[in-house]
Amino acid sequence: MSNSLIKKIVKPLLFIATLVAMFGAANLSSDSASASNRSYDSVLKTAKKHLGARYVWGATGPSRFDCSGFTKYVYKKSIKKSIPRTAQAQYNHTKHVTKSNIKKGDLVYFGGSKHSIYHVGMYIGNGKMIDSQNRGVVVEKVYAPWWHVVGFSRPANLSY
């Protein structure tokens, strides 16, 4: 093969390979960036959309929820993240975080202990959460006199 023939074939192939690498990388990073940029906004929007929905024990939505049915529904519908069905299972199978590291979108658990969890809500900042309880889906303080906080978890890494 002559040198000129190699230059005619190899140069265009290298150019095409470079373009594919550049545009492929750009598409991957923009896809992941757009997915992460919408994550917390999407979770919060989905949760707020159901404010006022009735509480029904064992209900998983979309118009009636119990506490863990609500958090499961919100994560699945907003960011396609599947989490376990019950509050105790959600705590047991998600990444635990400390009170000082809690972020918006994390879950807050209530009960007698970390082994006896009976309620879960989603932290939305400023000491508040959205949860489904006897008054339905509401925004309320995490540290209300009727709740005993026993732990926190992060079902997904969200961007803000």
Side-chain angles (χ1 to χ4, degrees):
M1 242 182 175
S2 72
N3 239 0
S4 66
L5 184 59
I6 291 173
K7 287 180 182 177
K8 285 181 184 178
I9 295 172
V10 173
K11 276 189 176 181
L13 288 175
L14 285 173
F15 178 72
I16 292 169
T18 302
L19 288 176
V20 168
M22 285 174 32
F23 287 110
N27 285 340
L28 285 175
S29 63
S30 68
D31 286 348
S32 61
S34 65
S36 65
N37 285 341
R38 73 175 189 266
S39 291
Y40 176 68
D41 289 341
S42 181
V43 169
L44 182 62
K45 183 179 177 182
T46 300
K48 282 185 169 182
K49 181 179 172 183
H50 296 283
L51 284 170
R54 274 190 46 210
Y55 175 88
V56 174
W57 186 84
T60 58
S63 59
R64 295 181 175 112
F65 301 94
D66 70 5
C67 64
S68 57
F70 177 69
T71 52
K72 180 177 179 58
Y73 178 90
V74 166
Y75 266 90
K76 184 67 173 176
K77 288 294 180 184
S78 62
I79 62 168
K80 311 260 186 283
K81 173 72 177 177
S82 183
I83 59 176
R85 172 62 188 93
T86 66
Q88 185 71 59
Q90 288 175 7
Y91 179 78
N92 291 346
H93 294 95
T94 54
K95 180 184 175 191
H96 298 167
V97 294
T98 62
K99 177 182 175 183
S100 61
N101 289 322
I102 194 167
K103 293 182 179 181
K104 295 175 183 177
D106 287 348
L107 300 181
V108 184
Y109 300 91
F110 306 87
S113 72
K114 292 179 182 186
H115 306 288
S116 176
I117 292 172
Y118 57 77
H119 188 70
V120 61
M122 186 182 80
Y123 186 70
I124 60 170
N126 297 320
K128 294 185 178 180
M129 67 176 172
I130 296 179
D131 66 328
S132 181
Q133 39 101 329
N134 62 353
R135 294 181 291 137
V137 177
V138 296
V139 173
E140 66 176 327
K141 292 179 181 177
V142 170
Y143 293 98
W146 49 88
W147 296 126
H148 178 244
V149 176
V150 297
F152 309 90
S153 78
R154 184 161 300 140
N157 288 322
L158 303 174
S159 73
Y160 304 91

